[in-house]
Amino acid sequence: MDSSEAPRTTTGWAARDSSGVLSPYTYTLRKTGTEDVVIKVLFCGVCHTDLFNVKNHFGITRYPAVPGHEVVGEVLEVGSDVTKFSVGDKVGVGYLVGCCRNCRPCTSGEEQYCKKKIYTFGDVYTDGQLTQGGFADSMIVDHKFVVKIPEGMVLEQAAPLLCAGVTVYSPLSHFGLNKSGVRGGILGLGGVGHMGVKIAKAMGHHVTVISSSDKKKVEAIEHLGADQYLVSSDATRMQEAADSLDYILDTVPAFHHLEPYLSLLGFNGKLIMIGATNAPLQFVCPMLLLGRKSIIGSFTGSMKEAEEMLEFCKEKGLSSMIEVIKMDYINTAFQRLENNDVKYRFVVDVAGSELQHQ
């Protein structure tokens, strides 16, 4: 690829303001470089973070914003310095498309914690151009932030693994919890939570799903394989389960009190926050001190972890549970996502959609 070539244009669906309403948008892709991969987008998952960002909940969104960071596509072209990918490869792109490569997180292979990381959409690339995500016909991505989709994986089911899957896998791996015999809790049973159950069970964990109602009990136990189900408002059952868990993955992307869940953790237990919210959370400090418990944040995963996670899911036969939609349904899908009305992840059939028409 030659960076002096004529600019490429593509069409996606973008939000123009904090209403978050998406509509067709044609724009120019950034110039290609020797380390870039040109990708035709096939499928893209729909994450709560997409919804939060198009509505500017975090106050950092730049418009127009084409969301989508669970991207599966096909390689159309590769730069002259790219050796890992070839034309025709099926590949994925997650939450990041850039980093500084020089800081401590970058040099230790944990680029997701780089303070100069570049998000897949709603951010500014090194050339000053806005980054745009996978709700579009095509993308140009630095090969460092592209992963191969293992052969045999169903592509649309692989898409949510690039965010939900690696977001679960990363802390379990980093904190040495990727071994059998561990007792874990999954707080919230949505797109990330359902992958939490699947991955934790595949690692050999005893898994308890914790939810605000019993609406998802049958699904959690019979369909996803959870061992136990706790309703957080059931004081008796919560008391009986006190001190029983080694960790809890907190996937809830909204305000909630932490004390009820801290009480479920045993000695040295970890409450791992992976659901993003801009609302302050509350807890009573002695609940941590008296059991040497910890509240920890974890953000997506590294590229190495993404590769490991995909291979792990292939080996264990894991996939996400999805509802495939066309792009012209995306605004309704966002409304349903806001109402927690999806089991468990929307995936847009981008290649099968008429992107030019609303």
Side-chain angles (χ1 to χ4, degrees):
M1 291 186 295
D2 183 354
S3 61
S4 64
E5 65 190 7
R8 302 169 185 261
T9 60
T10 193
T11 299
W13 276 47
R16 270 65 168 194
D17 53 45
S18 60
S19 71
V21 175
L22 304 188
S23 58
Y25 171 60
T26 298
Y27 54 99
T28 302
L29 294 169
R30 67 174 177 81
K31 291 182 178 180
T32 55
T34 60
E35 296 186 343
D36 286 330
V37 177
V38 180
I39 300 169
K40 174 180 174 56
V41 179
L42 301 176
F43 297 98
C44 190
V46 182
C47 176
H48 245 111
T49 309
D50 293 319
L51 178 61
F52 287 164
N53 276 295
V54 296
K55 293 196 170 189
N56 200 23
H57 283 193
F58 301 120
I60 59 173
T61 303
R62 297 170 175 88
Y63 298 101
V66 177
H69 60 271
E70 297 179 340
V71 186
V72 170
E74 180 178 339
V75 175
L76 295 180
E77 297 179 38
V78 297
S80 58
D81 292 339
V82 177
T83 58
K84 191 174 180 179
F85 304 103
S86 302
V87 172
D89 283 349
K90 301 303 186 293
V91 296
V93 179
Y95 205 30
L96 302 178
V97 292
C99 64
C100 79
R101 307 190 187 215
N102 299 312
C103 66
R104 183 177 172 187
C106 285
T107 56
S108 63
E110 295 182 299
E111 63 281 339
Q112 71 270 35
Y113 298 110
C114 173
K115 292 195 173 178
K116 295 182 179 179
K117 58 182 166 287
I118 301 172
Y119 294 104
T120 302
F121 80 93
D123 206 344
V124 178
Y125 204 70
T126 53
D127 61 359
Q129 189 164 339
L130 287 181
T131 60
Q132 305 290 10
F135 288 11
D137 180 67
S138 57
M139 300 175 70
I140 296 173
V141 183
D142 185 319
H143 72 123
K144 175 179 173 60
F145 295 92
V146 179
V147 292
K148 277 189 180 179
I149 302 299
E151 191 172 343
M153 269 194 168
V154 179
L155 297 181
E156 56 266 41
Q157 291 180 341
L161 301 179
L162 298 164
C163 175
V166 74
T167 296
V168 167
Y169 182 90
S170 176
L172 296 180
S173 174
H174 178 78
F175 294 113
L177 297 166
N178 53 344
K179 58 188 178 184
S180 62
V182 175
R183 299 181 68 88
I186 308 296
L187 177 56
L189 195 61
V192 176
H194 96 284
M195 285 310 307
V197 176
K198 288 191 166 197
I199 289 175
K201 284 298 296 180
M203 289 178 174
H205 297 185
H206 181 282
V207 176
T208 299
V209 169
I210 310 155
S211 188
S212 59
S213 76
D214 62 3
K215 288 191 304 183
K216 298 181 179 179
K217 182 175 181 178
V218 172
E219 299 164 22
I221 294 176
E222 295 185 9
H223 300 165
L224 298 175
D227 299 286
Q228 287 185 283
Y229 190 95
L230 281 176
V231 177
S232 56
S233 59
D234 186 336
T236 300
R237 291 281 290 114
M238 290 287 284
Q239 179 59 40
E240 291 171 352
D243 303 319
S244 66
L245 302 178
D246 299 309
Y247 73 86
I248 295 172
L249 292 178
D250 186 340
T251 75
V252 178
F255 172 80
H256 54 291
H257 291 283
L258 301 185
E259 286 96 335
Y261 313 111
L262 290 170
S263 69
L264 299 175
L265 295 171
F267 173 59
N268 279 338
K270 296 175 174 59
L271 179 61
I272 304 171
M273 311 298 295
I274 57 176
T277 174
N278 59 356
L281 302 178
Q282 299 176 344
F283 63 93
V284 178
C285 192
M287 297 192 76
L288 299 184
L289 305 181
L290 298 177
R292 201 161 68 191
K293 302 175 185 181
S294 52
I295 300 173
I296 304 167
S298 181
F299 176 66
T300 186
S302 67
M303 298 311 299
K304 179 175 182 292
E305 287 171 329
E307 291 173 343
E308 289 176 1
M309 177 274 305
L310 287 170
E311 288 299 328
F312 177 84
C313 288
K314 179 186 177 183
E315 176 190 340
K316 300 294 185 179
L318 304 181
S319 62
S320 53
M321 297 174 67
I322 62 173
E323 180 178 336
V324 179
I325 62 172
K326 301 294 188 185
M327 190 65 79
D328 60 7
Y329 188 76
I330 189 61
N331 291 310
T332 301
F334 272 160
Q335 291 171 1
R336 286 179 56 192
L337 181 60
E338 204 161 22
N339 295 328
N340 296 314
D341 178 25
V342 56
K343 296 178 184 177
Y344 285 93
R345 204 65 149 189
F346 288 115
V347 173
V348 181
D349 177 4
V350 178
S353 299
E354 290 288 342
L355 298 182
Q356 298 277 6
H357 302 98
Q358 189 165 3

